[in-house]
Amino acid sequence: MAKVILYTTRTCPFCVRAKQLLGNKSVAFEDIDVGNAPEQRAELTARTGSRTVPQIFINDAFIGGCDELFALERSGELDRLLQA
């Protein structure tokens, strides 16, 4: 199974949607809450160039945020990435 990492905050509705999609697919993921963690927010910015959440990685490849995750799901590509 793929290694999935999400950078999120607890109050972000897009983060909740992304986690729900992955949960519905029974995908285990690491959730890094950057809401009150400036050092982890800095790590996020260094990895992606962005401070917005969610930011999602599958097998260390940056796929983007919630919109990109759902686009991958609609195209059928998400399942392929999660199987790799």
Side-chain angles (χ1 to χ4, degrees), residues 9-60:
T9 63
R10 289 183 293 170
T11 59
C12 166
F14 298 104
C15 299
V16 171
R17 286 186 63 219
K19 289 189 270 188
Q20 284 176 337
L21 174 60
L22 294 171
N24 289 342
K25 294 176 113 13
S26 299
V27 174
F29 56 88
E30 180 181 355
D31 183 6
I32 301 173
D33 185 345
V34 298
N36 292 317
E39 66 285 349
Q40 289 176 321
R41 179 74 76 160
E43 176 185 322
L44 166 67
T45 302
R47 286 187 82 181
T48 67
S50 177
R51 292 181 48 85
T52 62
V53 290
Q55 296 296 321
I56 305 162
F57 290 82
I58 299 176
N59 291 328
D60 294 320

Side-chain angles (χ1 to χ4, degrees), residues 51-80:
R51 292 181 48 85
T52 62
V53 290
Q55 296 296 321
I56 305 162
F57 290 82
I58 299 176
N59 291 328
D60 294 320
F62 177 56
I63 65 153
C66 185
D67 290 343
E68 290 80 11
L69 181 68
F70 274 84
L72 288 171
E73 172 66 1
R74 283 190 301 276
S75 72
E77 188 69 11
L78 181 58
D79 288 334
R80 187 189 68 74

